[in-house]
Amino acid sequence: MSKKVLAVDDSQTMREMVAFALRQAGYDVLLAEDGQKALGVLGSSPVDCVITDLNMPQMDGIGLIQALRAHPTHRGTPILMLTTESDDQKKQAGKAAGATGWLVKPFNPEKLLDVVRRVSG
């Protein structure tokens, strides 16, 4: 059974790039365009990893992480931030919210897969 990853980004191109890289490696990929829609996609269904952008409409990545950490089903789910932001204060805010890791765009597909493999077990 393949591992399931939710990729959240307001850029359709970025969602497709992340999904392509993960699907080529055998992952089942769910997609959402912002944090609010991600919560709707997930519901109470567990995933093995969430990859989220930081800056998105409706609900940003920090808000999504906080919502997932407060949800019993998703409290322990690895969450990676994939964003253009490399500012230390933003990274600290992500870490304080409960992010597992931080990757900066543009991403290297092999590095993304390596990190997803490590955090999702």
mmCIF file of all heavy atoms in Angstrom, residues 6-7 10 34 36 38 43 47 49 56 61 65 70 72 78 81-83 113:
data_model
loop_
_atom_site.group_PDB
_atom_site.id
_atom_site.type_symbol
_atom_site.label_atom_id
_atom_site.label_comp_id
_atom_site.label_asym_id
_atom_site.label_seq_id
_atom_site.Cartn_x
_atom_site.Cartn_y
_atom_site.Cartn_z
ATOM 1 N N LEU A 6 -0.356 14.798 1.286
ATOM 2 C CA LEU A 6 -1.180 15.941 0.891
ATOM 3 C C LEU A 6 -0.254 17.095 0.553
ATOM 4 O O LEU A 6 0.560 17.503 1.387
ATOM 5 C CB LEU A 6 -2.128 16.355 2.027
ATOM 6 C CG LEU A 6 -2.904 17.659 1.800
ATOM 7 C CD1 LEU A 6 -3.850 17.551 0.601
ATOM 8 C CD2 LEU A 6 -3.666 18.049 3.052
ATOM 9 N N ALA A 7 -0.358 17.624 -0.669
ATOM 10 C CA ALA A 7 0.429 18.779 -1.103
ATOM 11 C C ALA A 7 -0.489 19.994 -1.180
ATOM 12 O O ALA A 7 -1.511 19.956 -1.870
ATOM 13 C CB ALA A 7 1.069 18.508 -2.456
ATOM 14 N N ASP A 10 -0.954 27.341 -3.310
ATOM 15 C CA ASP A 10 -1.892 28.111 -4.131
ATOM 16 C C ASP A 10 -1.476 28.153 -5.596
ATOM 17 O O ASP A 10 -2.254 28.580 -6.440
ATOM 18 C CB ASP A 10 -2.111 29.516 -3.567
ATOM 19 C CG ASP A 10 -0.833 30.309 -3.441
ATOM 20 O OD1 ASP A 10 0.248 29.708 -3.330
ATOM 21 O OD2 ASP A 10 -0.920 31.553 -3.453
ATOM 22 N N ASP A 34 -5.176 25.714 -0.674
ATOM 23 C CA ASP A 34 -4.883 26.532 0.511
ATOM 24 C C ASP A 34 -5.203 25.728 1.764
ATOM 25 O O ASP A 34 -5.708 24.600 1.676
ATOM 26 C CB ASP A 34 -5.641 27.870 0.487
ATOM 27 C CG ASP A 34 -7.150 27.706 0.499
ATOM 28 O OD1 ASP A 34 -7.675 26.927 1.320
ATOM 29 O OD2 ASP A 34 -7.823 28.363 -0.319
ATOM 30 N N GLN A 36 -7.428 26.073 4.145
ATOM 31 C CA GLN A 36 -8.838 25.779 4.406
ATOM 32 C C GLN A 36 -9.299 24.585 3.580
ATOM 33 O O GLN A 36 -9.960 23.679 4.092
ATOM 34 C CB GLN A 36 -9.691 27.018 4.101
ATOM 35 C CG GLN A 36 -11.096 26.938 4.635
ATOM 36 C CD GLN A 36 -11.135 26.933 6.158
ATOM 37 O OE1 GLN A 36 -10.451 27.710 6.797
ATOM 38 N NE2 GLN A 36 -11.918 26.054 6.730
ATOM 39 N N ALA A 38 -7.379 22.306 2.348
ATOM 40 C CA ALA A 38 -6.643 21.138 2.823
ATOM 41 C C ALA A 38 -7.389 20.465 3.975
ATOM 42 O O ALA A 38 -7.479 19.235 4.020
ATOM 43 C CB ALA A 38 -5.233 21.533 3.266
ATOM 44 N N GLY A 43 -10.283 15.982 6.221
ATOM 45 C CA GLY A 43 -11.318 15.539 7.146
ATOM 46 C C GLY A 43 -10.657 14.801 8.294
ATOM 47 O O GLY A 43 -9.726 15.294 8.907
ATOM 48 N N VAL A 47 -3.061 10.956 6.718
ATOM 49 C CA VAL A 47 -2.085 10.919 5.631
ATOM 50 C C VAL A 47 -0.724 10.683 6.285
ATOM 51 O O VAL A 47 -0.557 10.870 7.489
ATOM 52 C CB VAL A 47 -2.080 12.216 4.789
ATOM 53 C CG1 VAL A 47 -3.370 12.373 4.013
ATOM 54 C CG2 VAL A 47 -1.794 13.436 5.643
ATOM 55 N N CYS A 49 2.093 12.295 5.316
ATOM 56 C CA CYS A 49 2.878 13.530 5.316
ATOM 57 C C CYS A 49 2.053 14.638 4.670
ATOM 58 O O CYS A 49 1.259 14.384 3.766
ATOM 59 C CB CYS A 49 4.175 13.305 4.533
ATOM 60 S SG CYS A 49 5.278 14.730 4.474
ATOM 61 N N MET A 56 -0.572 31.611 1.459
ATOM 62 C CA MET A 56 -1.712 31.176 0.653
ATOM 63 C C MET A 56 -2.941 31.954 1.087
ATOM 64 O O MET A 56 -3.011 32.420 2.232
ATOM 65 C CB MET A 56 -1.978 29.676 0.873
ATOM 66 C CG MET A 56 -0.839 28.773 0.474
ATOM 67 S SD MET A 56 -1.211 27.041 0.787
ATOM 68 C CE MET A 56 -1.120 26.987 2.590
ATOM 69 N N GLY A 61 0.028 28.548 5.593
ATOM 70 C CA GLY A 61 0.639 27.316 6.061
ATOM 71 C C GLY A 61 0.734 27.235 7.575
ATOM 72 O O GLY A 61 0.556 26.164 8.163
ATOM 73 N N ILE A 65 -0.913 24.311 9.846
ATOM 74 C CA ILE A 65 -0.153 23.494 10.793
ATOM 75 C C ILE A 65 -0.812 23.541 12.171
ATOM 76 O O ILE A 65 -0.999 22.503 12.813
ATOM 77 C CB ILE A 65 1.312 23.971 10.881
ATOM 78 C CG1 ILE A 65 2.031 23.704 9.557
ATOM 79 C CG2 ILE A 65 2.041 23.278 12.040
ATOM 80 C CD1 ILE A 65 3.387 24.355 9.452
ATOM 81 N N ALA A 70 -3.861 20.581 16.286
ATOM 82 C CA ALA A 70 -4.958 20.561 17.255
ATOM 83 C C ALA A 70 -5.942 19.425 16.988
ATOM 84 O O ALA A 70 -6.819 19.156 17.805
ATOM 85 C CB ALA A 70 -5.698 21.903 17.215
ATOM 86 N N PRO A 72 -6.940 15.521 16.596
ATOM 87 C CA PRO A 72 -6.419 14.249 17.110
ATOM 88 C C PRO A 72 -5.854 13.328 16.028
ATOM 89 O O PRO A 72 -4.846 12.660 16.250
ATOM 90 C CB PRO A 72 -7.632 13.600 17.783
ATOM 91 C CG PRO A 72 -8.656 14.646 17.912
ATOM 92 C CD PRO A 72 -8.328 15.752 16.973
ATOM 93 N N PRO A 78 3.776 14.185 10.039
ATOM 94 C CA PRO A 78 4.877 15.053 9.626
ATOM 95 C C PRO A 78 4.377 16.140 8.667
ATOM 96 O O PRO A 78 3.618 15.842 7.745
ATOM 97 C CB PRO A 78 5.830 14.097 8.907
ATOM 98 C CG PRO A 78 5.450 12.734 9.351
ATOM 99 C CD PRO A 78 3.983 12.795 9.643
ATOM 100 N N MET A 81 7.209 22.395 5.375
ATOM 101 C CA MET A 81 6.933 23.675 4.726
ATOM 102 C C MET A 81 7.759 23.710 3.437
ATOM 103 O O MET A 81 8.966 23.452 3.472
ATOM 104 C CB MET A 81 7.345 24.847 5.618
ATOM 105 C CG MET A 81 6.647 24.928 6.961
ATOM 106 S SD MET A 81 4.912 25.405 6.874
ATOM 107 C CE MET A 81 4.995 26.999 6.117
ATOM 108 N N LEU A 82 7.132 24.021 2.319
ATOM 109 C CA LEU A 82 7.819 24.177 1.030
ATOM 110 C C LEU A 82 7.462 25.557 0.525
ATOM 111 O O LEU A 82 6.331 25.790 0.068
ATOM 112 C CB LEU A 82 7.378 23.087 0.043
ATOM 113 C CG LEU A 82 8.001 23.155 -1.352
ATOM 114 C CD1 LEU A 82 9.518 23.012 -1.290
ATOM 115 C CD2 LEU A 82 7.396 22.088 -2.251
ATOM 116 N N THR A 83 8.397 26.489 0.643
ATOM 117 C CA THR A 83 8.065 27.889 0.421
ATOM 118 C C THR A 83 9.245 28.652 -0.162
ATOM 119 O O THR A 83 10.387 28.173 -0.108
ATOM 120 C CB THR A 83 7.621 28.529 1.759
ATOM 121 O OG1 THR A 83 7.334 29.898 1.562
ATOM 122 C CG2 THR A 83 8.683 28.372 2.831
ATOM 123 N N LEU A 113 11.978 14.118 -2.167
ATOM 124 C CA LEU A 113 11.669 12.705 -1.932
ATOM 125 C C LEU A 113 12.456 12.153 -0.750
ATOM 126 O O LEU A 113 11.913 11.393 0.063
ATOM 127 C CB LEU A 113 11.963 11.882 -3.185
ATOM 128 C CG LEU A 113 11.003 12.102 -4.342
ATOM 129 C CD1 LEU A 113 11.513 11.395 -5.590
ATOM 130 C CD2 LEU A 113 9.609 11.618 -3.978
#
